[in-house]
Amino acid sequence: MTGRVGEGGAVAAPAGVGARLPSPLLDVRDDRFDAHGVRLALKRDDLIHPDVVGNKWRKLTPNLAAAGQRTVVTFGGAYSNHLRATAAAGRLLGLRTLGVVRGDELADRPLNPSLARCAADGMRLRFVDRATYRRAAEPEVLAALLAALPLAPEDAYVVPEGGSNPLAVQGCVPLGRELRGRADVVAVACGTGGTLAGLAAGLDPEQRALGVPVVGGGFLAEATAGLQRAAFGERRGTWSLDDRFHWGGYARVPAPLREFADDFARRHGLAVERLYVAKLLWALLKLTEEGAFPAGTRLVAVVTGRPGPETDGQG
Ligand SMILES: *Cc1c(COP(=O)(O)O)cnc(C)c1O
């Protein structure tokens, strides 16, 4: 299956990419939310595309259109959803992709299921040590990396780790627009904050976007505001973050969270991605139980992903 990058920055979608947009919005009856008068609905961005799931589809398509014929170079950890999505989108659109993976010790081991999928989708993988990886966004480090690949700078289209740049943020604006008039609070799990930045910009001002970071650190409000300024020249929308409910790391799926996710799957017949989505739903339940949402609140949780290869708690 091949797609085509259209003129004027638009991806010629359905032939190659076949996205289902707008994504469905489904009410769920859950007695734990019902008990507080909170009406929960799921924005099923996991149904946008079978291979390029959720927020990654929204973030990647404008970037792949901008890449033209260049090789898409991007960065991620060994279980990165972003790398997997980029590899799949590259295959669908007939673009070359190159993944720079954190951890040179991985180079000598068999690929884990996540990286094996990237490779099967045609992504070339390069492993770099953690010190280099941390500095990969710095121009000289990046230039040296590209030279070693080898790839001429003019043949590379570089997408940052996690995929968040101004085009990605703009790509997430329709997520908010699709929810106008249909929610009071829209909650999304955050890694880089790019999805939250676009979502908030697409909502009406009386609607609130709520970001739940999956790792702690308190850097995310600044990062999200910075992404909005880069994408729109200003801060947009009504949004906030609540980072009390993180679990301490991307690769950690501790037992209580696993149990929560399994229980949610049983109740609703929906297996959810655990590194982000289960954490989001868990946080929303805690917030609901704390009385954070007044009775009658229409609360939408964005299902940004579906289950994939996971580390199941090995840090
Ligand atoms: C990448 C990802 C996120 C976080 O997106 P950001 O734009 O980096 O905040 C949320 N959920 C899932 C499933 C993801 O893969």
Side-chain angles (χ1 to χ4, degrees):
M1 214 171 19
T2 53
R4 196 170 56 81
V5 178
E7 319 257 310
V11 175
V17 175
R20 178 174 176 187
L21 288 167
S23 63
L25 180 65
L26 301 178
D27 289 317
V28 291
R29 301 306 309 270
D30 188 308
D31 48 16
R32 299 167 297 179
F33 290 87
D34 289 348
H36 297 268
V38 173
R39 289 155 57 192
L40 178 67
L42 302 178
K43 178 68 168 162
R44 297 289 306 274
D45 266 20
D46 58 313
L47 297 176
I48 290 178
H49 193 281
D51 299 333
V52 188
V53 170
N55 63 339
K56 300 302 189 282
W57 191 95
R58 296 188 190 270
K59 292 168 74 170
L60 275 169
T61 43
N63 274 298
L64 298 189
Q69 295 307 306
R70 289 174 286 180
T71 296
V72 177
V73 178
T74 194
F75 308 87
Y79 284 90
S80 165
N81 289 340
H82 166 65
L83 281 186
R84 265 204 327 285
T86 305
R91 168 174 53 79
L92 292 164
L93 289 169
L95 288 175
R96 282 184 297 275
T97 57
L98 196 147
V100 178
V101 185
R102 178 178 58 231
D104 52 351
E105 75 281 2
L106 298 172
D108 306 322
R109 300 189 198 154
L111 297 178
N112 72 33
S114 190
L115 293 174
R117 272 278 288 286
C118 292
D121 280 334
M123 178 176 262
R124 285 188 296 152
L125 299 172
R126 288 294 178 276
F127 299 88
V128 301
D129 65 81
R130 282 152 207 272
T132 306
Y133 186 89
R134 264 196 300 281
R135 300 178 50 214
E138 295 171 24
E140 323 79 70
V141 180
L142 182 60
L145 257 177
L146 292 179
L149 289 173
L151 192 61
E154 63 273 20
D155 294 330
Y157 181 82
V158 177
V159 176
E161 177 178 34
S164 286
N165 59 10
L167 284 178
V169 171
Q170 287 159 12
C172 292
V173 172
L175 169 59
R177 293 222 179 99
E178 291 167 25
L179 290 166
R180 284 186 181 173
R182 311 187 70 177
D184 301 305
V185 178
V186 181
V188 68
C190 299
T192 62
T195 308
L196 174 65
L199 160 69
L203 293 171
D204 280 325
E206 71 273 13
Q207 297 180 290
R208 179 159 71 91
L210 171 64
V212 175
V214 300
V215 293
F219 58 92
L220 209 60
E222 196 49 50
T224 304
L227 285 165
Q228 287 201 327
R229 279 193 298 272
F232 312 118
E234 61 184 10
R235 223 187 127 125
R236 289 226 175 135
T238 308
W239 58 268
S240 61
L241 286 149
D242 192 326
D243 77 347
R244 287 173 299 149
F245 299 108
H246 66 83
W247 296 76
Y250 281 105
R252 280 180 52 75
V253 184
L257 184 64
R258 234 175 4 248
E259 281 153 27
F260 171 82
D262 291 344
D263 177 63
F264 193 90
R266 273 193 302 275
R267 286 169 189 258
H268 301 297
L270 173 66
V272 292
E273 194 268 1
R274 290 175 176 180
L275 297 179
Y276 293 91
V277 180
K279 288 172 183 169
L280 171 71
L281 293 166
W282 188 87
L284 293 179
L285 180 58
K286 295 294 158 200
L287 285 165
T288 297
E289 289 170 352
E290 275 185 5
F293 308 116
T297 298
R298 292 173 302 167
L299 174 64
V300 169
V302 182
V303 180
T304 40
R306 68 159 56 102
E310 284 171 9
T311 59
D312 263 357
Q314 326 137 26

